Amino acid sequence: MRVIERTFPEVSARGSCPPRGLAQPATATATLAIPLDGLTLTAPQPEMLSQRNVESVTGIPARVFLDTIRGLGFPLPVTRLGKLRLVQREAFIAYLQALASDPVSRRAAEVDERTRVAAVLASAGLESAPCPRTGQASAPPARTSRARLPPK
């Protein structure tokens, strides 16, 4: 539904109009009916991310967010309020962008972790056996002998 209101210059009681040079400009106002589904309302982004709002802001599930901020080497300060964990939004998004743009450092971290695991296994006299399908460590095949710890 469209309603249009128009305002015209007033005519004096004598029935004459003011001279053309002195005419008041005509104004028009309109009232439009817009359906509610045609509007989009946006709220400002929160300053801090928590496990409650991280999915709506970044699309990351709460569990992944918590695992990330609890991981070793997470560089950002984490504020703890009871069970709630808070991180600055802009810093966290910058951290995620740095992870996405620098896969070399992520691979280096994975290699470092594998090296640490291999060192722990070697100190116990064991070694990891890669799984042929996934390349991940698994139990050795049945045809190999089981490793035993050296006697003390």
Side-chain angles (χ1 to χ4, degrees):
M1 178 171 146
R2 207 164 121 188
V3 178
I4 299 176
E5 297 176 13
R6 290 190 180 174
T7 307
F8 295 101
E10 293 184 19
V11 178
S12 66
R14 288 181 267 153
S16 65
C17 291
R20 287 188 179 226
L22 299 176
Q24 297 176 358
T27 59
T29 57
T31 304
L32 300 174
I34 300 173
L36 288 179
D37 60 350
L39 296 176
T40 303
L41 301 175
T42 56
Q45 294 288 335
E47 292 295 319
M48 302 291 278
L49 291 179
S50 70
Q51 60 266 37
R52 292 182 181 169
N53 65 3
V54 71
E55 190 163 4
S56 65
V57 174
T58 64
I60 296 174
R63 175 59 31 210
V64 174
F65 171 74
L66 290 173
D67 290 344
T68 302
I69 65 172
R70 290 177 180 154
L72 293 176
F74 183 69
L76 304 176
V78 178
T79 304
R80 293 175 174 89
L81 294 174
K83 291 184 178 183
L84 196 64
R85 302 293 182 256
L86 299 167
V87 178
Q88 289 184 348
R89 176 182 51 88
E90 290 179 5
F92 186 73
I93 291 174
Y95 170 73
L96 293 177
Q97 289 172 342
L99 284 179
S101 66
D102 193 16
V104 174
S105 66
R106 208 170 6 164
R107 280 191 226 121
E110 290 172 2
V111 169
D112 288 345
E113 183 178 353
R114 280 191 233 125
T115 304
R116 286 191 300 264
V117 168
V120 169
L121 289 174
S123 69
L126 303 171
E127 62 182 39
S128 66
C131 179
R133 282 186 290 137
T134 63
Q136 296 176 350
S138 66
R143 65 182 182 278
T144 61
S145 62
R146 304 246 180 221
R148 295 180 185 243
L149 294 174
K152 291 188 177 186

